[in-house]
């Protein structure tokens, strides 16, 4: 209380040392200027500020019935707060970026939305004030004494159990009835007389004796078993001969073994028999023959060697550079084979890869054909140059051809490949197997 009186005295002396105007407003300054007419209190100083009450957030919130517009400095958030009575809330000036909030007027009709005011510049943040010392915590009052629990009343005595009544006497068991006597067994009936045995039939006549010749099969002539006439013969090793008593194979037919099945049982054939066959055989009158369908429903004799492909194959691969720049067919270098076929049909396979230097825009092809003894037997083509407006473009190509070519067995035959360019340009077509083997080749293969 003494300190409060001292503080009020100092403030009074300070105010007496400065010009003071007492009217409907007050000015505090060192120049003697009148206060601004719009201000109730006008304080100005070139080197001092004005202090408003400073307190913690808890103290600010604890103010009873704060006046509308009341200002305090919150030491917890280091900001000035003002109170708005129409919202019953405190507002921090640190959080307001627009102009000063005016008082709330009476509710009238809604006017047009005004322009948003320009945000004022944020002032420099002042230094934080020192935190005051925390006052001592008051002592906690003593807890009241818990009253004593009253005594529990005594439990009453349990009543006595009643006495168990006496068990009544058991009744007398009834007497068991006597078992009746077993009846007598009846007498066995008499056995009937045995029947007489039937008469034994006469023994049949003895059948005929089988074939008496060693290893001959037997057959029936309708009344007796006899040896085969051909004969059908089986030796001690299981080889069977028909009209042959010395079979050399598992099955041999005829005295000279015209039809035989070999020992492994996987082939029926005519073997090594001089014979004039009913059709012309290019292999002669001896050899290994079999019956086959000629494709028209007729069985004919044929030679095994003449229909086993792969025993007379031919082939050639280009090893030199070659080219063609003509629209007339010309022989392709190294693509010629002369041979003697052993079958009536051979299979011809031809492949080629090369390139062209495109010198014009029209598209160009490479044509190729297969010749047999000077006659065309088949052909094909592939694109050698594409449409292109650029001069000097290299365009590659790949071609292939496979044919079944009829020939005359045993007669010398020449198979060759010819080629040409086909288009409106004058560019040559190349197959440089020697200088460009990585993407140039040509080959001719004949399967016989």
């Amino acid at each position: 209380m003494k300190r409060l009186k001292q503080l009020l005295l100092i403030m009074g002396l300070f105010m007496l040392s400065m010009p003071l105007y007492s009217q409907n407003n007050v000015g505090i300054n060192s120049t003697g200027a009148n206060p601004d007419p719009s201000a109730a209190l006008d304080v100005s100083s070139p080197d001092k500020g004005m202090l408003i009450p400073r307190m913690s957030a808890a103290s600010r919130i604890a103010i009873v019935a704060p006046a509308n517009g009341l200002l305090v400095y919150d030491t917890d958030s280091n900001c000035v707060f003002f109170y708005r009575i129409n919202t019953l809330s405190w507002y921090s000036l640190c959080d307001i970026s627009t102009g000063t909030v005016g008082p709330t007027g009476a509710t009238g009709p809604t006017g047009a939305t005004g322009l948003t005011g320009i945000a004022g510049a944020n002032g420099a943040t002042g230094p934080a004030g020192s935190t005051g010392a925390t006052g001592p915590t008051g002592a906690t009052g003593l807890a009241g004494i818990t009253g004593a629990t009253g005594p529990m009343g005594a439990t009453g005595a349990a009543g006595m159990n009643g006495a168990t009544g006496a068990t009544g006497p058991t009744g007398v068991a009834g007497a068991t009835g006597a078992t009746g006597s077993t009846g007598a067994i009846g007498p066995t009936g008499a056995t009937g007389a045995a029947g007489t045995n039937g008469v034994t039939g006469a023994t049949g006549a003895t059948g005929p004796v089988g074939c008496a010749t060693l290893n001959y099969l037997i057959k029936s002539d309708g009344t007796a078993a006899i040896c085969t006439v051909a004969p059908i013969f089986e030796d001690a090793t299981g080889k069977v001969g028909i009209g042959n008593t010395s079979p050399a194979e598992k099955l041999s037919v005829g005295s000279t073994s015209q039809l035989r099945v070999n020992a492994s049982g996987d082939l029926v054939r005519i073997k090594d028999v001089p014979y004039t066959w009913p059709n012309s055989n290019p292999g002669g009158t001896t050899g290994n023959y079999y019956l086959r369908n000629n494709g028209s429903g007729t069985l004919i004799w044929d030679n095994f060697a003449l229909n086993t492909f792969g025993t007379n194959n031919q082939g050639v691969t280009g090893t030199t550079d070659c080219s063609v720049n003509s629209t007339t067919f010309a022989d392709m270098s190294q693509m010629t084979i002369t041979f003697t076929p052993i079958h009536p049909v051979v299979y011809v396979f031809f492949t080629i890869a090369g390139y062209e230097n495109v010198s014009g825009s029209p598209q160009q092809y490479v044509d190729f054909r297969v010749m047999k003894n000077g006659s065309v037997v088949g052909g094909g083509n592939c694109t050698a140059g594409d449409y292109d407006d650029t001069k000097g473009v290299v365009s590659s190509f790949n071609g292939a051809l496979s044919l079944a070519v009829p020939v005359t067995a045993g007669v010398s035959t020449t198979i060759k490949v010819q080629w040409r360019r086909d288009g409106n340009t004058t560019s040559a077509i190349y197959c440089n197997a020697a200088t460009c083997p990585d993407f140039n080749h040509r080959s001719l293969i004949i399967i016989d």
Side-chain angles (χ1 to χ4, degrees), residues 364-409:
Q364 180 161 263
Y365 303 90
V366 55
D367 299 336
F368 43 84
R369 66 185 184 181
V370 175
M371 310 290 289
K372 181 193 77 173
N373 296 332
S375 298
V376 178
V377 293
N381 67 2
C382 60
T383 302
D386 294 330
Y387 287 98
D388 201 312
D389 294 333
T390 304
K391 306 294 185 181
V393 175
V394 176
S395 178
S396 62
F397 67 88
N398 289 274
L401 182 66
S402 59
L403 296 170
V405 179
V407 293
T408 301

Side-chain angles (χ1 to χ4, degrees), residues 67-401:
N68 191 26
L70 183 66
L71 289 173
V72 297
Y73 183 87
D74 191 316
T75 57
D76 290 336
S77 60
N78 292 326
C79 281
V80 175
F81 279 72
F82 70 96
Y83 187 82
R84 293 185 65 179
I85 197 167
N86 62 329
T87 61
L88 302 180
S89 298
W90 287 95
Y91 292 85
S92 170
L93 294 182
C94 294
D95 296 334
I96 297 175
S97 60
T98 59
T100 305
V101 178
T104 303
T107 304
T110 303
T113 303
L115 298 175
T116 303
I118 300 172
N122 293 330
T125 304
S130 58
T131 304
T134 303
T137 303
T140 304
L142 297 174
I145 300 172
T146 303
T149 302
M152 182 179 294
T155 302
M160 297 178 61
N161 293 329
T164 302
T167 302
T170 302
V172 179
T176 302
T179 303
S181 59
T182 303
I185 297 173
T188 302
T191 302
T196 57
N197 292 331
V199 178
T200 301
T203 303
T206 302
V209 177
C211 177
T213 305
L214 181 64
N215 291 335
Y216 275 49
L217 274 67
I218 64 173
K219 69 177 182 178
S220 173
D221 63 359
T223 58
I226 62 174
C227 293
T228 54
V229 176
I232 300 177
F233 180 87
E234 181 182 2
D235 67 10
T237 65
K239 296 177 181 177
V240 176
I242 299 177
N244 180 2
T245 57
S246 300
E249 302 287 355
K250 196 169 184 179
L251 174 64
S252 298
V253 179
S255 59
T256 55
S257 300
Q258 291 127 339
L259 177 65
R260 315 189 335 170
V261 176
N262 67 8
S264 61
D266 60 0
L267 186 63
V268 178
R269 61 184 176 177
I270 303 297
K271 181 171 177 65
D272 302 335
V273 180
Y275 188 76
T276 301
W277 302 108
N279 66 314
S280 175
N281 292 287
T285 58
T286 61
N288 296 320
Y289 290 85
Y290 67 101
L291 285 172
R292 69 175 178 86
N293 192 315
N294 67 354
S296 301
T298 302
L299 292 176
I300 62 173
W301 293 104
D302 211 342
N303 191 302
F304 278 98
L306 299 181
N307 286 282
T308 304
F309 284 93
T311 59
N312 189 35
N313 296 340
Q314 313 292 325
V316 64
T317 298
T319 59
T320 62
D321 293 348
C322 65
S323 64
V324 64
N325 193 11
S326 171
T327 57
T328 302
F329 276 107
D331 291 350
M332 186 179 293
S333 175
Q334 298 181 295
M335 294 293 101
T336 299
I337 297 175
T338 299
F339 70 111
T340 300
I342 63 174
H343 297 95
V345 176
V346 297
Y347 297 93
V348 178
F349 300 91
F350 167 70
T351 62
I352 186 172
Y355 66 93
E356 178 204 10
N357 286 325
V358 179
S359 61
S361 59
Q363 192 170 24
Q364 180 161 263
Y365 303 90
V366 55
D367 299 336
F368 43 84
R369 66 185 184 181
V370 175
M371 310 290 289
K372 181 193 77 173
N373 296 332
S375 298
V376 178
V377 293
N381 67 2
C382 60
T383 302
D386 294 330
Y387 287 98
D388 201 312
D389 294 333
T390 304
K391 306 294 185 181
V393 175
V394 176
S395 178
S396 62
F397 67 88
N398 289 274
L401 182 66

